[in-house]
Amino acid sequence: YSTLVLGEHDNSQLLPSTLSAVTAAKQLGKEVNILLAGSFKDAGAISKQAAAIAGVNRVLVANNAQYEHATPESVSPLLKKCQDKVKATHIIAPSTASGKNILPRTAALLDVSAISDVMKIQSEDTFVRPIYAGNALSTVKSNDPIKVLTIRTTAFDKCADNGGSAEIEDIDGDASEIHTKWISEDTKKSARPELTAANVVVSGGRGLKSSENFKLIEELADELNGAVGASRAAVDAGYVSNDLQVGQTGKIVAPQLYIAVGISGAIQHLAGMKDSKVIVSINKDTEAPIAQVADLILTKDLFEAVPQLTKAIKDSRGK
Amino acid sequence: MKAIVGVKRVIDYAQRIRVKADKTGVETVGVKMSMNPFDEIAVEEALRLKEKGHVKEVVAVTMGPQQNQQILLNAMAMGADRGIHVLTDAPLEPIHVAKLFKKIAETEKPDLFILGKQAIDDDSNQTGQMLAGLLNWPQATNISKVEVEGGKLKITREIDGGLQNLESSLPAVLTADLRLNEPRFATLPNIMKAKKKPTDKKTPEELGVDVNPRIQTIKVDEPPVRQAGKKVETVEELLEGLKKLGVI
């Protein structure tokens, strides 16, 4: 019996979310298998990358054009096939847009329930996950023979990407009849890390007052190699596009450092970021509810404080 | 085309969530219940497709206890043509809901399912994907745009870091994300009319679906409370604090 991790990649490199999923898999104390399904130019290179992850036993590689865009219609039947091959008792994927798209479909094909957004593995059948946007934590026990889990990457440290020496094995999936056709993707070609995967997030709220002023947020984020986020109020006011929204109805983030700038901290925003390790609030308003979750509170005009902070960080790096 | 929309009854999004003292769940007594907001968006989209002439009939389906009738009425007051209520007091998991929808699909033969991307109570984000898997239909989750063109769907989905554009054949399962539309409010005359719209009642037994739990809730806890933060006066002090916490 073993675990099967669905590796995430961009068809050339593994993504860091895979390392968090492997950490979760290792906690179950069983053999760890990784499935790489994609359309790889250099299957050898990405397979070796996966095989080098510490603690991985076997890498299954399905290199076929039908897996290029990770459509659930193609990957779910393949996962089912691999589950049978390695007799996996646990199938694990990071709880990303892709993982959430694929794993429930796989669970249905296996006739089992799925458990989303696992934050903690208590035993091989008992898991902790957030409900009500993190306003409560539910401990659940699965009675299914196969557990299908998506894991919150921020809750599992990335394991070492070297030191392993897994076997590599090619696997052929069956040709699936695919009824969806991938047309295009408009992803921000940004040098900044992706919001839900970033170690540092700097978010701006209505206090920024304009779209132009978000430059202050961007400069601070760049200095910290972080991602840029926003409150719903800032999105509704049209300062930034809606894919930056952090909150119950936007993205849920839990970085090492979350800096909330000019954000009052509506419940709906707090639900999206309160699991961050360290929270900083920069806000003139001393009464703002964000202060209830913040570790460090700077009550100062953001237009003065943010550029100062950016500069101070830059200077301290220079030393 | 016929479209089926799923409508779940959940604690209203604006209510404060309180964990029960015995940790068996969250407090629902005396708490306002509403239609899951993502399901409202799904209903709205089906109605818009009907208004554009692509969809002929919109059927709203709810699953749960007697009180769910109100949610079905809300959907019909928005404009759904009729309702199906799968009546059960059993707590349903997404796999059960997906199987019940599949059974309904066998008799209703819809061309399209539009569901909310997730319910704001259990936040599972699974039912649409499971249903598509059970039916072996294409799926498009977290959609922010859909157009019908030449018997196909042109879809925009929200993914990490941006948007994805897909084309899909029919029948299909779609799940609605926040930015797909802004749901309409039901008008008083439409609320009156909704009461006259037909509703079918069925039970999981009649539909032949086993709804025995696969997952057991051991306990529900409050999330850990954060300790009160430290107020700092200057940027220098803030930077020092960040260094002390080891995040810079």
Side-chain angles (χ1 to χ4, degrees):
Chain A
Y1 291 91
S2 65
T3 56
L4 176 61
V5 173
L6 177 61
E8 281 208 329
H9 58 79
D10 59 7
N11 285 304
S12 62
Q13 296 254 343
L14 279 182
L15 298 181
S17 53
T18 305
L19 299 177
S20 297
V22 170
T23 297
K26 285 202 284 198
Q27 288 180 8
L28 292 156
K30 295 178 177 180
E31 189 181 294
V32 178
N33 300 279
I34 295 187
L35 168 63
L36 295 179
S39 182
F40 307 116
K41 269 204 198 86
D42 190 348
I46 194 163
S47 311
K48 276 189 201 131
Q49 210 189 342
I53 298 174
V56 173
N57 301 83
R58 182 153 52 163
V59 180
L60 301 173
V61 186
N63 187 14
N64 187 307
Q66 68 168 331
Y67 304 125
E68 185 176 359
H69 300 295
T71 54
E73 285 169 274
S74 61
V75 179
S76 286
L78 176 67
L79 264 173
K80 183 176 183 235
K81 186 175 178 175
C82 294
Q83 181 278 325
D84 186 54
K85 182 182 161 69
V86 303
K87 300 289 170 229
T89 47
H90 296 74
I91 300 178
I92 300 174
S95 175
T96 53
S98 177
K100 286 187 199 170
N101 201 20
I102 293 168
L103 250 61
R105 186 169 180 127
T106 310
L109 299 183
L110 292 163
D111 191 17
V112 297
S113 269
I115 300 176
S116 304
D117 284 323
V118 169
M119 295 170 72
K120 200 173 166 194
I121 294 175
Q122 283 199 338
S123 71
E124 65 177 60
D125 61 7
T126 306
F127 312 97
V128 181
R129 61 176 302 267
I131 53 174
Y132 293 95
N135 285 306
L137 300 179
S138 180
T139 304
V140 294
K141 179 171 182 278
S142 162
N143 296 318
D144 278 319
I146 304 163
K147 326 307 185 204
V148 177
L149 318 171
T150 60
I151 59 107
R152 234 184 219 195
T153 50
T154 47
F156 295 90
D157 291 337
K158 295 175 191 77
C159 68
D161 62 1
N162 58 56
S165 53
E167 287 170 43
I168 298 171
E169 190 178 327
D170 286 327
I171 182 159
D172 287 325
D174 304 315
S176 319
E177 231 186 296
I178 310 296
H179 301 275
T180 48
K181 195 169 122 201
W182 183 91
I183 308 285
S184 63
E185 237 154 68
D186 320 317
T187 42
K188 297 249 162 55
K189 292 282 171 277
S190 160
R192 292 190 192 109
E194 209 275 308
L195 192 50
T196 53
N199 282 324
V200 177
V201 174
V202 185
S203 283
R206 189 138 52 191
L208 265 296
K209 294 204 176 91
S210 77
S211 176
E212 292 71 51
N213 290 337
F214 251 80
K215 208 157 55 163
L216 298 175
I217 301 293
E218 290 167 6
E219 285 165 358
L220 178 54
D222 289 345
E223 200 52 54
L224 293 164
N225 190 25
V228 171
S231 69
R232 181 164 181 178
V235 170
D236 285 349
Y239 301 165
V240 286
S241 67
N242 49 31
D243 55 308
L244 296 188
Q245 187 188 318
V246 172
Q248 185 168 16
T249 51
K251 302 233 159 72
I252 311 272
V253 302
Q256 293 292 306
L257 173 59
Y258 188 90
I259 305 181
V261 179
I263 290 179
S264 64
I267 290 178
Q268 103 87 32
H269 185 75
L270 299 184
M273 46 63 82
K274 69 181 168 53
D275 292 330
S276 306
K277 192 167 167 237
V278 172
I279 298 172
V280 172
S281 164
I282 301 176
N283 198 325
K284 249 193 326 206
D285 176 9
T286 48
E287 301 298 308
I290 186 88
Q292 290 161 18
V293 299
D295 300 286
L296 290 165
I297 304 142
L298 178 62
T299 313
K300 216 173 166 192
D301 181 51
L302 71 92
F303 294 105
E304 199 185 316
V306 175
Q308 275 181 17
L309 180 60
T310 308
K311 187 173 180 296
I313 291 165
K314 194 180 219 165
D315 291 349
S316 75
R317 288 257 161 79
K319 276 176 204 163
Chain B
M1 282 209 286
K2 185 197 275 189
I4 293 185
V5 292
V7 291
K8 186 176 186 182
R9 179 175 177 265
V10 297
I11 294 180
D12 186 88
Y13 78 97
Q15 299 290 304
R16 194 167 199 100
I17 300 300
R18 280 170 300 134
V19 172
K20 283 188 193 167
D22 66 1
K23 296 190 173 189
T24 55
V26 304
E27 201 57 73
T28 52
V29 178
V31 174
K32 186 184 173 199
M33 306 292 283
S34 299
M35 189 191 299
N36 177 40
F38 293 108
D39 298 349
E40 278 186 346
I41 296 170
V43 175
E44 175 65 34
E45 199 60 24
L47 297 174
R48 290 187 188 189
L49 289 173
K50 189 181 173 191
E51 285 156 2
K52 285 180 194 154
H54 300 302
V55 164
K56 269 218 171 90
E57 190 185 28
V58 177
V59 182
V61 179
T62 194
M63 302 182 191
Q66 189 56 42
Q67 295 94 309
N68 277 43
Q69 190 60 29
Q70 185 56 47
I71 301 303
L72 211 47
L73 276 173
N74 292 352
M76 292 190 289
M78 283 175 75
D81 297 289
R82 59 189 171 89
I84 297 174
H85 184 173
V86 179
L87 196 61
T88 177
D89 289 325
L92 299 175
E93 295 164 27
I95 187 80
H96 302 135
V97 176
K99 286 182 171 191
L100 291 164
F101 273 130
K102 179 176 185 250
K103 283 290 174 184
I104 290 168
E106 284 168 12
T107 50
E108 289 285 339
K109 305 210 170 0
D111 303 281
L112 199 56
F113 271 98
I114 312 181
L115 310 179
K117 72 162 178 179
Q118 71 191 64
I120 60 162
D121 49 7
D122 62 17
D123 288 330
S124 285
N125 190 337
Q126 296 173 359
T127 304
Q129 296 90 308
M130 287 181 158
L131 175 60
L134 294 175
L135 290 166
N136 197 24
W137 285 9
Q139 76 184 47
T141 52
N142 299 22
I143 68 164
S144 55
K145 196 173 172 192
V146 58
E147 280 167 1
V148 183
E149 232 178 79
K152 287 186 179 289
L153 301 173
K154 297 192 91 174
I155 293 157
T156 303
R157 302 179 55 227
E158 304 213 0
I159 56 170
D160 294 335
L163 300 171
Q164 182 182 66
N165 300 303
L166 291 179
E167 193 180 274
S168 167
S169 62
L170 288 159
V173 178
L174 308 180
T175 74
D177 212 324
L178 185 69
R179 285 166 274 275
L180 182 58
N181 60 49
E182 276 197 35
R184 68 194 66 189
F185 290 104
T187 60
L188 191 59
N190 285 343
I191 292 171
M192 301 313 288
K193 258 192 251 170
K195 291 180 180 159
K196 295 195 183 111
K197 290 183 178 176
T199 298
D200 265 357
K201 283 202 162 92
K202 289 180 164 49
T203 63
E205 295 72 43
E206 284 164 6
L207 290 165
V209 175
D210 171 6
V211 293
N212 278 316
R214 310 291 193 85
I215 292 171
Q216 205 182 324
T217 299
I218 308 281
K219 62 171 178 165
V220 173
D221 289 303
E222 299 268 4
V225 182
R226 294 187 80 102
Q227 292 198 334
K230 186 181 163 211
K231 290 207 163 112
V232 292
E233 302 298 326
T234 63
V235 166
E236 289 70 36
E237 244 185 284
L238 175 60
L239 197 58
E240 213 172 284
L242 287 172
K243 282 181 181 159
K244 225 179 252 171
L245 290 165
V247 286
I248 278 192

